[in-house]
Amino acid sequence: MMRFHYQSHCYQHLRREAIFGLLLLLSPVLLPCFFTPFAHASSSTFSEWNAPKPRHLSLLRSALERESSNGEQSDLWSPLADQGWRPFLESANALSLPQKSEGYLQVFLDGGLNQQRMGICDAVAVAKILNATLVIPHLEVNPVWQDSSSFTDIFDVDHFIDVLKDDVSIVKELPDEFSWSTREYYATATRATRIKRAPVHASINWYLEYVLPVLQSYGIAAISPFSHRLSFDNTPSEIQQLRCKVNFKALVFVPHIRALGDAIVHRLRYPPGESEAVGSNYLRETADQYLKQKPHKFVVVHLRFDKDMAAHSACDFGGGKAEKLALAKYRQTIWGGRVLNSQFTDEELRSQGRCPLTPEEIGLLLAALGFDNSTRLYLASHKVYGGEARISTLRELFPLMENKKSLASSEERVHIKGKASLLAAVDYYVGMHSDIFVSASPGNMHNALVGHRTFENKKTIRPNMALLGQLFLNKNITWSEFRQAVAEGHQNRLGQLRLRKPRQSLYTYPAPDCMCRA
Protein backbone atom coordinates (compact mmCIF):
# COMPACT_ATOMS: atom_id res chain seq x y z
CA MET A 1 0.00 0.00 0.00
CA MET A 2 2.79 2.41 0.87
CA ARG A 3 4.48 1.65 -2.45
CA PHE A 4 1.21 2.29 -4.33
CA HIS A 5 0.62 5.52 -2.42
CA TYR A 6 4.17 6.68 -3.25
CA GLN A 7 3.72 5.90 -6.96
CA SER A 8 0.37 7.75 -7.00
CA HIS A 9 1.93 10.75 -5.28
CA CYS A 10 4.81 10.80 -7.83
CA TYR A 11 2.34 10.53 -10.67
CA GLN A 12 0.31 13.48 -9.39
CA HIS A 13 3.48 15.52 -8.94
CA LEU A 14 4.67 14.75 -12.47
CA ARG A 15 1.23 15.53 -13.83
CA ARG A 16 1.21 18.95 -12.14
CA GLU A 17 4.67 19.66 -13.59
CA ALA A 18 3.52 18.62 -17.06
CA ILE A 19 0.45 20.87 -16.90
CA PHE A 20 2.56 23.78 -15.65
CA GLY A 21 5.07 23.24 -18.45
CA LEU A 22 2.30 23.14 -21.05
CA LEU A 23 0.81 26.39 -19.74
CA LEU A 24 4.25 27.99 -19.82
CA LEU A 25 4.70 27.00 -23.46
CA LEU A 26 1.25 28.31 -24.40
CA SER A 27 1.51 31.52 -22.39
CA PRO A 28 2.88 33.65 -25.30
CA VAL A 29 -0.24 32.69 -27.27
CA LEU A 30 -2.71 33.00 -24.39
CA LEU A 31 -1.17 36.20 -23.00
CA PRO A 32 0.56 37.88 -25.96
CA CYS A 33 0.60 41.33 -24.40
CA PHE A 34 3.11 40.16 -21.79
CA PHE A 35 5.45 38.61 -24.31
CA THR A 36 5.28 40.77 -27.45
CA PRO A 37 7.97 43.27 -26.43
CA PHE A 38 10.45 40.50 -25.68
CA ALA A 39 9.62 38.61 -28.85
CA HIS A 40 10.50 41.74 -30.84
CA ALA A 41 13.58 42.72 -28.90
CA SER A 42 16.06 41.52 -31.49
CA SER A 43 18.88 43.81 -32.58
CA SER A 44 17.16 44.46 -35.89
CA THR A 45 13.99 45.85 -34.34
CA PHE A 46 15.11 47.52 -31.13
CA SER A 47 14.43 50.95 -32.59
CA GLU A 48 10.90 49.95 -33.56
CA TRP A 49 10.20 48.58 -30.10
CA ASN A 50 11.51 51.85 -28.63
CA ALA A 51 9.88 54.04 -31.25
CA PRO A 52 12.20 57.00 -31.92
CA LYS A 53 10.71 60.45 -31.51
CA PRO A 54 11.25 63.14 -34.18
CA ARG A 55 14.72 64.63 -33.75
CA HIS A 56 13.93 67.92 -35.48
CA LEU A 57 10.50 68.67 -34.03
CA SER A 58 10.54 72.42 -34.65
CA LEU A 59 11.43 71.99 -38.32
CA LEU A 60 8.93 69.16 -38.67
CA ARG A 61 6.06 71.26 -37.29
CA SER A 62 6.87 74.09 -39.69
CA ALA A 63 7.21 71.71 -42.62
CA LEU A 64 3.80 70.21 -41.89
CA GLU A 65 2.29 73.70 -42.16
CA ARG A 66 4.16 74.59 -45.37
CA GLU A 67 2.63 75.81 -48.57
CA SER A 68 4.09 75.64 -52.07
CA SER A 69 3.28 77.95 -54.92
CA ASN A 70 2.52 76.70 -58.42
CA GLY A 71 5.69 78.41 -59.60
CA GLU A 72 7.81 76.35 -57.27
CA GLN A 73 6.08 73.19 -58.39
CA SER A 74 6.57 73.90 -62.09
CA ASP A 75 10.26 74.62 -61.55
CA LEU A 76 10.73 71.48 -59.49
CA TRP A 77 9.03 69.18 -61.95
CA SER A 78 10.38 70.64 -65.18
CA PRO A 79 12.69 68.23 -67.03
CA LEU A 80 16.39 68.94 -67.26
CA ALA A 81 17.35 71.34 -69.99
CA ASP A 82 19.53 70.05 -72.79
CA GLN A 83 23.06 70.14 -71.36
CA GLY A 84 24.74 69.62 -74.71
CA TRP A 85 25.93 66.04 -74.08
CA ARG A 86 24.84 62.86 -75.85
CA PRO A 87 25.51 59.16 -75.20
CA PHE A 88 28.38 57.98 -77.37
CA LEU A 89 29.24 54.28 -77.53
CA GLU A 90 30.21 53.87 -81.17
CA SER A 91 33.89 53.17 -80.58
CA ALA A 92 32.96 50.25 -78.31
CA ASN A 93 32.90 48.15 -81.49
CA ALA A 94 36.23 49.51 -82.77
CA LEU A 95 38.13 46.41 -81.60
CA SER A 96 36.90 43.49 -83.66
CA LEU A 97 36.30 40.10 -82.06
CA PRO A 98 39.24 37.73 -82.74
CA GLN A 99 38.37 34.32 -84.13
CA LYS A 100 40.27 32.36 -81.48
CA SER A 101 39.76 32.82 -77.73
CA GLU A 102 42.60 32.47 -75.20
CA GLY A 103 40.31 30.50 -72.88
CA TYR A 104 37.39 30.80 -70.47
CA LEU A 105 37.12 33.56 -67.87
CA GLN A 106 35.05 33.04 -64.74
CA VAL A 107 34.31 35.71 -62.15
CA PHE A 108 32.61 35.38 -58.76
CA LEU A 109 30.82 38.56 -57.69
CA ASP A 110 29.94 39.48 -54.13
CA GLY A 111 27.93 42.44 -52.78
CA GLY A 112 24.38 43.52 -53.52
CA LEU A 113 22.66 43.93 -56.87
CA ASN A 114 24.35 47.16 -57.95
CA GLN A 115 27.85 46.18 -56.84
CA GLN A 116 27.39 42.99 -58.82
CA ARG A 117 26.08 45.01 -61.76
CA MET A 118 29.31 47.02 -61.87
CA GLY A 119 31.31 43.80 -61.51
CA ILE A 120 29.55 42.36 -64.56
CA CYS A 121 30.54 45.41 -66.60
CA ASP A 122 34.15 45.06 -65.48
CA ALA A 123 34.11 41.33 -66.24
CA VAL A 124 33.11 41.98 -69.86
CA ALA A 125 35.90 44.56 -70.14
CA VAL A 126 38.51 42.17 -68.71
CA ALA A 127 37.36 39.43 -71.08
CA LYS A 128 37.85 41.87 -73.96
CA ILE A 129 41.32 42.85 -72.70
CA LEU A 130 42.39 39.19 -72.43
CA ASN A 131 40.58 37.99 -75.55
CA ALA A 132 38.81 35.47 -73.32
CA THR A 133 35.41 33.84 -73.52
CA LEU A 134 33.35 35.09 -70.60
CA VAL A 135 31.22 32.63 -68.66
CA ILE A 136 28.04 34.25 -67.35
CA PRO A 137 29.21 35.63 -63.96
CA HIS A 138 28.43 33.77 -60.74
CA LEU A 139 26.63 35.92 -58.13
CA GLU A 140 27.63 35.06 -54.57
CA VAL A 141 25.08 34.91 -51.75
CA ASN A 142 25.36 38.16 -49.81
CA PRO A 143 25.78 37.50 -46.04
CA VAL A 144 23.47 40.42 -45.21
CA TRP A 145 20.71 39.96 -47.80
CA GLN A 146 20.88 36.15 -48.02
CA ASP A 147 19.66 36.12 -51.61
CA SER A 148 20.76 33.26 -53.86
CA SER A 149 19.37 34.77 -57.08
CA SER A 150 21.52 34.02 -60.12
CA PHE A 151 22.38 36.19 -63.13
CA THR A 152 19.56 34.60 -65.13
CA ASP A 153 17.07 35.23 -62.31
CA ILE A 154 17.75 38.98 -62.56
CA PHE A 155 18.96 39.85 -66.05
CA ASP A 156 17.78 38.87 -69.52
CA VAL A 157 20.72 36.65 -70.44
CA ASP A 158 19.82 36.25 -74.13
CA HIS A 159 19.58 40.01 -74.57
CA PHE A 160 22.91 40.39 -72.75
CA ILE A 161 24.70 37.96 -75.06
CA ASP A 162 23.07 39.35 -78.20
CA VAL A 163 23.95 43.02 -77.51
CA LEU A 164 27.59 42.10 -76.87
CA LYS A 165 28.00 39.44 -79.57
CA ASP A 166 30.28 41.64 -81.68
CA ASP A 167 32.41 42.67 -78.67
CA VAL A 168 33.01 39.62 -76.50
CA SER A 169 32.37 35.89 -76.75
CA ILE A 170 30.00 34.89 -73.93
CA VAL A 171 28.70 31.46 -72.91
CA LYS A 172 26.06 30.50 -70.38
CA GLU A 173 27.95 27.45 -69.11
CA LEU A 174 31.39 25.90 -69.34
CA PRO A 175 31.89 22.97 -71.73
CA ASP A 176 32.09 19.51 -70.16
CA GLU A 177 35.89 19.45 -70.19
CA PHE A 178 35.90 22.34 -67.70
CA SER A 179 32.86 21.33 -65.66
CA TRP A 180 35.13 20.78 -62.65
CA SER A 181 35.74 24.54 -62.35
CA THR A 182 33.08 25.38 -59.77
CA ARG A 183 32.80 27.56 -56.69
CA GLU A 184 33.00 24.44 -54.51
CA TYR A 185 36.19 23.34 -56.27
CA TYR A 186 37.93 26.62 -55.45
CA ALA A 187 36.62 26.66 -51.87
CA THR A 188 38.30 23.39 -50.85
CA ALA A 189 41.96 24.07 -51.71
CA THR A 190 44.41 26.39 -53.45
CA ARG A 191 44.02 25.95 -57.20
CA ALA A 192 46.35 26.99 -59.98
CA THR A 193 43.48 28.31 -62.09
CA ARG A 194 42.15 30.66 -59.42
CA ILE A 195 43.35 34.26 -59.21
CA LYS A 196 42.73 35.14 -55.59
CA ARG A 197 44.62 38.38 -55.10
CA ALA A 198 43.50 40.69 -57.88
CA PRO A 199 44.19 44.23 -56.63
CA VAL A 200 41.35 46.71 -56.25
CA HIS A 201 41.25 48.86 -59.41
CA ALA A 202 43.95 46.77 -61.08
CA SER A 203 45.49 48.09 -64.27
CA ILE A 204 45.19 46.50 -67.71
CA ASN A 205 48.86 45.56 -67.53
CA TRP A 206 48.26 43.62 -64.32
CA TYR A 207 45.70 41.40 -66.09
CA LEU A 208 48.03 40.87 -69.03
CA GLU A 209 50.88 39.95 -66.72
CA TYR A 210 49.13 37.73 -64.17
CA VAL A 211 45.87 36.41 -65.65
CA LEU A 212 46.67 35.94 -69.34
CA PRO A 213 49.43 33.34 -68.62
CA VAL A 214 46.94 31.29 -66.55
CA LEU A 215 44.46 31.36 -69.42
CA GLN A 216 47.12 30.29 -71.90
CA SER A 217 48.41 27.50 -69.66
CA TYR A 218 45.13 25.97 -68.48
CA GLY A 219 42.50 27.27 -70.89
CA ILE A 220 40.57 28.76 -67.98
CA ALA A 221 41.02 31.35 -65.21
CA ALA A 222 38.69 32.07 -62.30
CA ILE A 223 38.92 35.42 -60.48
CA SER A 224 37.49 35.54 -56.99
CA PRO A 225 36.77 37.94 -55.44
CA PHE A 226 35.99 40.26 -58.33
CA SER A 227 34.48 43.56 -57.16
CA HIS A 228 36.04 46.89 -58.12
CA ARG A 229 38.91 45.01 -59.75
CA LEU A 230 39.50 47.16 -62.86
CA SER A 231 40.88 50.69 -62.88
CA PHE A 232 38.87 53.60 -64.21
CA ASP A 233 42.02 55.49 -65.20
CA ASN A 234 44.59 54.94 -67.96
CA THR A 235 42.12 52.74 -69.80
CA PRO A 236 41.55 52.91 -73.58
CA SER A 237 38.37 54.68 -74.67
CA GLU A 238 37.18 51.51 -76.41
CA ILE A 239 37.23 49.61 -73.10
CA GLN A 240 35.56 52.47 -71.22
CA GLN A 241 32.76 52.65 -73.75
CA LEU A 242 32.36 48.89 -73.70
CA ARG A 243 31.82 49.07 -69.93
CA CYS A 244 29.11 51.69 -70.49
CA LYS A 245 27.55 49.64 -73.26
CA VAL A 246 27.21 46.73 -70.86
CA ASN A 247 25.78 48.90 -68.10
CA PHE A 248 23.35 51.02 -70.09
CA LYS A 249 22.43 48.73 -73.00
CA ALA A 250 23.18 45.06 -72.34
CA LEU A 251 22.00 44.70 -68.74
CA VAL A 252 18.21 44.53 -68.96
CA PHE A 253 16.05 42.97 -66.26
CA VAL A 254 14.09 39.79 -66.92
CA PRO A 255 10.55 40.28 -68.34
CA HIS A 256 8.62 39.68 -65.09
CA ILE A 257 10.61 42.41 -63.30
CA ARG A 258 10.02 44.85 -66.15
CA ALA A 259 6.31 43.98 -66.20
CA LEU A 260 5.94 44.56 -62.46
CA GLY A 261 7.94 47.78 -62.73
CA ASP A 262 5.73 49.01 -65.56
CA ALA A 263 2.60 48.21 -63.53
CA ILE A 264 3.93 50.18 -60.53
CA VAL A 265 4.92 53.16 -62.69
CA HIS A 266 1.49 53.13 -64.34
CA ARG A 267 -0.29 53.13 -60.97
CA LEU A 268 1.84 56.04 -59.83
CA ARG A 269 1.03 57.97 -62.99
CA TYR A 270 -2.65 57.03 -62.94
CA PRO A 271 -3.78 56.32 -59.36
CA PRO A 272 -6.34 53.45 -59.33
CA GLY A 273 -9.01 55.50 -57.53
CA GLU A 274 -9.01 58.10 -60.27
CA SER A 275 -8.94 55.44 -62.97
CA GLU A 276 -12.13 53.83 -61.62
CA ALA A 277 -13.86 57.22 -61.56
CA VAL A 278 -13.46 57.65 -65.32
CA GLY A 279 -16.54 55.58 -65.99
CA SER A 280 -18.66 52.73 -64.76
CA ASN A 281 -17.62 50.39 -67.55
CA TYR A 282 -14.65 48.56 -65.98
CA LEU A 283 -14.14 46.50 -69.13
CA ARG A 284 -13.34 49.56 -71.21
CA GLU A 285 -9.86 49.42 -72.70
CA THR A 286 -7.26 50.99 -70.45
CA ALA A 287 -5.99 53.23 -73.24
CA ASP A 288 -9.48 54.71 -73.56
CA GLN A 289 -9.81 55.11 -69.78
CA TYR A 290 -6.61 57.08 -69.37
CA LEU A 291 -7.17 59.46 -72.28
CA LYS A 292 -9.20 61.64 -69.91
CA GLN A 293 -6.52 61.68 -67.23
CA LYS A 294 -3.43 63.78 -66.96
CA PRO A 295 -0.52 61.59 -65.81
CA HIS A 296 0.84 62.41 -62.37
CA LYS A 297 4.50 63.08 -61.74
CA PHE A 298 6.32 61.27 -58.95
CA VAL A 299 9.57 61.20 -57.01
CA VAL A 300 11.46 58.02 -56.16
CA VAL A 301 13.18 58.21 -52.77
CA HIS A 302 15.84 55.57 -52.24
CA LEU A 303 15.91 55.14 -48.49
CA ARG A 304 19.04 53.15 -47.67
CA PHE A 305 18.35 52.86 -43.97
CA ASP A 306 18.72 49.19 -43.17
CA LYS A 307 20.48 47.76 -40.14
CA ASP A 308 23.68 47.19 -42.12
CA MET A 309 23.94 50.85 -43.15
CA ALA A 310 22.88 52.18 -39.76
CA ALA A 311 25.46 50.07 -37.93
CA HIS A 312 28.30 50.72 -40.35
CA SER A 313 27.79 54.49 -40.20
CA ALA A 314 28.32 54.49 -36.39
CA CYS A 315 25.94 57.46 -36.18
CA ASP A 316 23.31 58.11 -33.51
CA PHE A 317 19.77 57.95 -34.89
CA GLY A 318 17.83 58.80 -31.76
CA GLY A 319 16.68 55.32 -30.80
CA GLY A 320 18.14 55.52 -27.31
CA LYS A 321 20.46 53.17 -25.43
CA ALA A 322 18.75 50.03 -26.76
CA GLU A 323 19.41 51.03 -30.35
CA LYS A 324 23.02 52.03 -29.64
CA LEU A 325 23.69 48.69 -27.96
CA ALA A 326 22.01 46.74 -30.75
CA LEU A 327 24.03 48.50 -33.47
CA ALA A 328 27.29 48.15 -31.52
CA LYS A 329 26.63 44.43 -31.12
CA TYR A 330 25.90 44.14 -34.85
CA ARG A 331 29.14 45.97 -35.71
CA GLN A 332 31.05 43.54 -33.51
CA THR A 333 29.38 40.51 -35.08
CA ILE A 334 29.76 41.54 -38.73
CA TRP A 335 32.97 43.57 -38.78
CA GLY A 336 34.63 42.64 -35.49
CA GLY A 337 34.03 46.20 -34.32
CA ARG A 338 36.47 47.51 -36.96
CA VAL A 339 34.44 50.35 -38.44
CA LEU A 340 36.33 53.49 -39.44
CA ASN A 341 33.55 55.86 -38.35
CA SER A 342 33.61 54.46 -34.80
CA GLN A 343 36.59 56.67 -33.94
CA PHE A 344 34.55 59.85 -34.50
CA THR A 345 31.76 61.41 -32.46
CA ASP A 346 28.26 61.67 -33.89
CA GLU A 347 28.68 65.44 -34.24
CA GLU A 348 31.92 65.02 -36.17
CA LEU A 349 30.36 62.44 -38.49
CA ARG A 350 27.33 64.61 -39.21
CA SER A 351 29.33 67.76 -39.85
CA GLN A 352 31.41 65.78 -42.39
CA GLY A 353 28.28 64.44 -44.11
CA ARG A 354 29.04 60.83 -43.18
CA CYS A 355 25.66 59.93 -41.68
CA PRO A 356 22.84 58.61 -43.87
CA LEU A 357 19.73 60.77 -43.80
CA THR A 358 16.90 59.35 -41.71
CA PRO A 359 13.38 59.19 -43.18
CA GLU A 360 12.55 62.31 -41.18
CA GLU A 361 15.57 64.16 -42.59
CA ILE A 362 14.99 63.20 -46.24
CA GLY A 363 11.40 64.37 -45.78
CA LEU A 364 12.54 67.73 -44.42
CA LEU A 365 14.98 68.09 -47.34
CA LEU A 366 12.23 67.50 -49.91
CA ALA A 367 9.85 69.84 -48.08
CA ALA A 368 12.52 72.57 -47.95
CA LEU A 369 13.11 72.18 -51.69
CA GLY A 370 9.42 72.94 -52.25
CA PHE A 371 7.65 69.58 -52.57
CA ASP A 372 4.26 69.84 -50.87
CA ASN A 373 2.03 67.18 -49.31
CA SER A 374 0.33 66.46 -52.65
CA THR A 375 3.62 65.06 -53.99
CA ARG A 376 3.52 61.40 -54.90
CA LEU A 377 6.51 59.55 -53.47
CA TYR A 378 7.64 56.03 -54.22
CA LEU A 379 9.75 54.61 -51.41
CA ALA A 380 12.50 52.41 -52.81
CA SER A 381 14.03 50.48 -49.95
CA HIS A 382 14.56 47.02 -48.52
CA LYS A 383 13.98 46.72 -44.78
CA VAL A 384 13.98 50.08 -43.00
CA TYR A 385 15.68 49.81 -39.63
CA GLY A 386 12.96 50.61 -37.10
CA GLY A 387 10.09 49.73 -39.43
CA GLU A 388 6.98 51.88 -39.73
CA ALA A 389 7.81 53.78 -36.53
CA ARG A 390 10.90 55.17 -38.26
CA ILE A 391 9.02 56.02 -41.47
CA SER A 392 6.02 57.68 -39.81
CA THR A 393 7.40 61.24 -39.95
CA LEU A 394 8.14 60.93 -43.67
CA ARG A 395 4.59 59.65 -44.19
CA GLU A 396 3.23 62.61 -42.23
CA LEU A 397 5.04 64.99 -44.55
CA PHE A 398 4.07 63.07 -47.69
CA PRO A 399 0.83 61.14 -47.14
CA LEU A 400 0.74 60.02 -50.79
CA MET A 401 3.79 57.81 -50.25
CA GLU A 402 3.72 54.39 -51.88
CA ASN A 403 5.93 51.31 -52.14
CA LYS A 404 5.89 47.91 -53.79
CA LYS A 405 3.44 46.44 -51.29
CA SER A 406 0.93 49.27 -51.56
CA LEU A 407 0.97 49.31 -55.36
CA ALA A 408 1.24 45.63 -56.25
CA SER A 409 -0.73 42.66 -54.94
CA SER A 410 0.89 39.70 -53.19
CA GLU A 411 0.19 37.64 -56.32
CA GLU A 412 2.06 40.15 -58.47
CA ARG A 413 4.98 40.13 -56.03
CA VAL A 414 5.19 36.37 -55.61
CA HIS A 415 8.30 36.00 -57.83
CA ILE A 416 10.28 38.63 -55.91
CA LYS A 417 9.14 37.98 -52.34
CA GLY A 418 12.06 37.55 -49.94
CA LYS A 419 14.63 38.06 -52.71
CA ALA A 420 16.61 41.22 -52.01
CA SER A 421 18.21 41.42 -55.47
CA LEU A 422 14.89 41.13 -57.30
CA LEU A 423 13.26 43.64 -54.96
CA ALA A 424 16.15 46.04 -55.64
CA ALA A 425 15.80 45.41 -59.38
CA VAL A 426 12.15 46.52 -59.29
CA ASP A 427 13.13 49.65 -57.36
CA TYR A 428 15.93 50.37 -59.87
CA TYR A 429 13.49 50.02 -62.77
CA VAL A 430 10.92 52.35 -61.16
CA GLY A 431 13.73 54.75 -60.25
CA MET A 432 14.79 54.95 -63.89
CA HIS A 433 11.21 55.78 -64.96
CA SER A 434 10.53 58.47 -62.35
CA ASP A 435 10.46 62.21 -62.93
CA ILE A 436 12.92 62.78 -60.08
CA PHE A 437 15.19 60.46 -58.11
CA VAL A 438 16.78 61.22 -54.74
CA SER A 439 18.78 59.00 -52.42
CA ALA A 440 19.09 59.40 -48.65
CA SER A 441 22.73 58.31 -48.63
CA PRO A 442 25.57 57.62 -51.05
CA GLY A 443 25.90 53.95 -51.91
CA ASN A 444 25.86 51.53 -54.82
CA MET A 445 22.18 52.08 -55.69
CA HIS A 446 22.64 55.85 -55.52
CA ASN A 447 25.80 55.72 -57.65
CA ALA A 448 24.29 53.38 -60.24
CA LEU A 449 21.11 55.40 -60.72
CA VAL A 450 22.90 58.76 -60.72
CA GLY A 451 25.12 57.48 -63.53
CA HIS A 452 22.30 55.87 -65.51
CA ARG A 453 20.03 58.92 -65.20
CA THR A 454 22.94 61.21 -66.16
CA PHE A 455 23.43 59.08 -69.28
CA GLU A 456 19.76 59.68 -70.16
CA ASN A 457 19.67 63.33 -68.95
CA LYS A 458 17.08 62.79 -66.22
CA LYS A 459 16.66 64.94 -63.12
CA THR A 460 18.35 63.58 -60.01
CA ILE A 461 18.71 65.32 -56.65
CA ARG A 462 22.05 64.72 -54.97
CA PRO A 463 21.76 65.72 -51.29
CA ASN A 464 24.53 67.94 -49.96
CA MET A 465 25.30 65.64 -47.05
CA ALA A 466 27.86 67.86 -45.29
CA LEU A 467 25.57 70.90 -45.46
CA LEU A 468 22.55 68.96 -44.24
CA GLY A 469 24.54 67.39 -41.41
CA GLN A 470 25.55 70.84 -40.18
CA LEU A 471 22.03 72.24 -40.54
CA PHE A 472 20.48 69.39 -38.57
CA LEU A 473 23.05 69.88 -35.80
CA ASN A 474 21.81 73.45 -35.36
CA LYS A 475 18.87 73.04 -32.99
CA ASN A 476 18.04 76.77 -33.10
CA ILE A 477 17.65 77.07 -36.86
CA THR A 478 14.28 78.34 -38.07
CA TRP A 479 12.30 76.82 -40.92
CA SER A 480 12.90 79.93 -43.04
CA GLU A 481 16.67 79.75 -42.47
CA PHE A 482 16.73 76.01 -43.09
CA ARG A 483 14.76 76.31 -46.30
CA GLN A 484 16.95 79.09 -47.67
CA ALA A 485 20.15 77.22 -46.84
CA VAL A 486 18.84 74.04 -48.47
CA ALA A 487 17.75 75.87 -51.62
CA GLU A 488 21.11 77.64 -51.99
CA GLY A 489 23.08 74.48 -51.22
CA HIS A 490 21.30 72.43 -53.89
CA GLN A 491 21.18 74.86 -56.83
CA ASN A 492 23.79 72.82 -58.69
CA ARG A 493 22.75 69.41 -57.38
CA LEU A 494 19.56 68.83 -59.37
CA GLY A 495 20.89 66.70 -62.18
CA GLN A 496 23.54 68.96 -63.69
CA LEU A 497 26.09 66.87 -65.52
CA ARG A 498 29.47 66.46 -63.84
CA LEU A 499 32.57 65.27 -65.65
CA ARG A 500 34.41 62.30 -64.21
CA LYS A 501 37.60 63.09 -62.31
CA PRO A 502 40.57 60.74 -61.82
CA ARG A 503 39.74 57.69 -59.67
CA GLN A 504 36.02 58.40 -59.86
CA SER A 505 33.67 55.70 -61.08
CA LEU A 506 32.69 55.58 -64.73
CA TYR A 507 29.34 54.13 -63.66
CA THR A 508 28.51 57.26 -61.62
CA TYR A 509 30.08 59.80 -63.97
CA PRO A 510 29.73 58.51 -67.56
CA ALA A 511 30.93 61.77 -69.13
CA PRO A 512 33.22 62.38 -70.92
CA ASP A 513 34.23 58.71 -71.45
CA CYS A 514 30.83 57.54 -72.71
CA MET A 515 29.25 60.83 -73.75
CA CYS A 516 30.24 63.53 -76.21
CA ARG A 517 29.28 67.15 -76.79
CA ALA A 518 26.48 67.51 -79.29
Side-chain angles (χ1 to χ4, degrees):
M1 285 292 292
M2 287 184 65
R3 183 180 180 186
F4 174 78
H5 179 71
Y6 174 75
Q7 290 176 333
S8 176
H9 176 75
C10 288
Y11 173 76
Q12 291 174 356
H13 179 69
L14 289 171
R15 185 180 179 185
R16 282 196 300 270
E17 287 187 344
I19 292 172
F20 177 78
L22 182 61
L23 287 171
L24 187 64
L25 287 171
L26 292 174
S27 54
V29 178
L30 298 173
L31 300 168
C33 58
F34 289 101
F35 289 84
T36 300
F38 299 99
H40 289 277
S42 68
S43 61
S44 63
T45 55
F46 252 117
S47 58
E48 186 171 359
W49 186 47
N50 299 310
K53 297 178 181 178
R55 304 195 75 189
H56 314 288
L57 193 55
S58 176
L59 292 176
L60 181 61
R61 285 171 178 163
S62 298
L64 288 170
E65 297 172 356
R66 72 197 185 280
E67 292 182 2
S68 291
S69 68
N70 292 331
E72 285 179 324
Q73 288 293 324
S74 62
D75 289 342
L76 282 170
W77 293 108
S78 60
L80 279 177
D82 188 343
Q83 300 185 70
W85 289 82
R86 300 286 185 274
F88 182 76
L89 303 176
E90 290 181 12
S91 65
N93 296 326
L95 300 175
S96 60
L97 186 63
Q99 292 186 349
K100 184 180 179 182
S101 167
E102 296 287 355
Y104 293 95
L105 176 68
Q106 285 180 292
V107 296
F108 297 82
L109 303 174
D110 52 14
L113 171 68
N114 293 292
Q115 183 173 321
Q116 291 171 337
R117 182 188 186 102
M118 297 170 198
I120 293 166
C121 300
D122 287 348
V124 172
V126 170
K128 182 71 172 180
I129 291 164
L130 299 174
N131 183 28
T133 298
L134 179 67
V135 184
I136 289 296
H138 175 88
L139 309 186
E140 299 279 17
V141 177
N142 186 282
V144 176
W145 308 122
Q146 292 296 314
D147 185 356
S148 59
S149 297
S150 67
F151 184 105
T152 55
D153 292 328
I154 304 169
F155 299 107
D156 187 330
V157 66
D158 292 324
H159 176 85
F160 179 77
I161 294 173
D162 183 63
V163 169
L164 299 171
K165 65 180 183 295
D166 295 326
D167 302 290
V168 178
S169 175
I170 303 173
V171 295
K172 296 179 182 179
E173 296 178 347
L174 285 167
D176 290 342
E177 62 185 294
F178 293 108
S179 60
W180 48 265
S181 184
T182 63
R183 183 183 183 280
E184 292 70 28
Y185 173 76
Y186 293 112
T188 55
T190 301
R191 309 293 187 182
T193 52
R194 178 187 175 184
I195 289 84
K196 190 176 181 180
R197 302 187 183 279
V200 173
H201 298 149
S203 67
I204 288 179
N205 287 337
W206 185 90
Y207 283 97
L208 294 173
E209 184 176 351
Y210 292 99
V211 182
L212 184 57
V214 176
L215 275 174
Q216 293 171 334
S217 297
Y218 300 97
I220 189 168
I223 308 177
S224 175
F226 188 79
S227 292
H228 312 294
R229 289 307 193 272
L230 181 61
S231 174
F232 291 112
D233 301 322
N234 301 315
T235 303
S237 61
E238 297 83 11
I239 298 299
Q240 297 288 66
Q241 292 187 22
L242 177 58
R243 293 162 99 173
C244 289
K245 183 177 181 179
V246 180
N247 195 26
F248 304 133
K249 301 296 181 184
L251 285 175
V252 170
F253 295 123
V254 291
H256 77 83
I257 289 177
R258 301 201 306 271
L260 179 56
D262 285 334
I264 289 173
V265 170
H266 193 271
R267 289 161 197 172
L268 286 162
R269 298 270 183 227
Y270 304 96
E274 297 179 21
S275 304
E276 295 165 5
V278 170
S280 58
N281 182 9
Y282 283 81
L283 298 179
R284 187 184 302 173
E285 292 185 6
T286 55
D288 183 44
Q289 282 186 347
Y290 298 123
L291 282 175
K292 298 182 180 180
Q293 287 192 69
K294 183 179 179 181
H296 290 257
K297 297 180 183 294
F298 68 96
V299 180
V300 166
V301 177
H302 177 238
L303 191 61
R304 175 75 197 275
F305 201 79
D306 49 65
K307 183 172 65 173
D308 191 55
M309 169 66 85
H312 196 270
S313 72
C315 300
D316 179 9
F317 299 107
K321 290 183 179 180
E323 180 175 273
K324 287 183 180 179
L325 288 171
L327 294 177
K329 182 179 179 181
Y330 186 83
R331 276 194 294 275
Q332 187 63 39
T333 302
I334 302 297
W335 301 288
R338 297 184 299 275
V339 175
L340 179 63
N341 283 3
S342 296
Q343 63 186 296
F344 301 102
T345 66
D346 181 70
E347 186 173 334
E348 289 172 331
L349 292 171
R350 290 188 179 281
S351 63
Q352 296 170 26
R354 296 169 73 167
C355 292
L357 298 178
T358 65
E360 176 188 6
E361 290 166 346
I362 194 72
L364 289 171
L365 165 64
L366 291 173
L369 287 172
F371 293 98
D372 63 19
N373 62 7
S374 68
T375 302
R376 297 187 67 79
L377 290 191
Y378 174 83
L379 190 61
S381 66
H382 188 45
K383 292 181 179 179
V384 174
Y385 183 64
E388 184 60 32
R390 184 79 76 180
I391 302 173
S392 59
T393 50
L394 178 59
R395 195 178 299 281
E396 273 189 90
L397 288 164
F398 298 98
L400 299 182
M401 186 170 71
E402 307 279 6
N403 58 24
K404 290 179 287 292
K405 286 187 177 180
S406 67
L407 289 170
S409 67
S410 56
E411 290 81 7
E412 289 174 305
R413 291 182 283 110
V414 67
H415 295 300
I416 65 172
K417 185 177 180 181
K419 298 177 180 179
S421 292
L422 301 187
L423 291 164
V426 173
D427 285 340
Y428 188 105
Y429 188 89
V430 177
M432 278 304 300
H433 288 77
S434 65
D435 297 281
I436 298 171
F437 173 81
V438 59
S439 180
S441 62
N444 289 322
M445 174 74 111
H446 165 89
N447 293 339
L449 273 167
V450 165
H452 204 157
R453 289 177 68 88
T454 296
F455 191 74
E456 297 189 8
N457 197 45
K458 294 185 175 182
K459 184 172 281 189
T460 306
I461 299 172
R462 293 182 300 105
N464 188 331
M465 302 296 285
L467 170 67
L468 292 169
Q470 294 165 19
L471 293 177
F472 286 128
L473 283 171
N474 183 356
K475 299 305 179 185
N476 297 317
I477 194 170
T478 66
W479 175 247
S480 174
E481 293 168 338
F482 178 78
R483 189 172 182 180
Q484 182 179 352
V486 166
E488 291 176 354
H490 289 82
Q491 286 181 347
N492 298 315
R493 305 180 73 90
L494 302 176
Q496 292 87 344
L497 185 143
R498 293 189 171 196
L499 300 181
R500 189 179 73 84
K501 298 176 182 178
R503 293 186 292 183
Q504 286 185 331
S505 171
L506 179 74
Y507 308 123
T508 308
Y509 303 98
D513 302 84
C514 302
M515 303 179 74
C516 63
R517 285 197 173 276

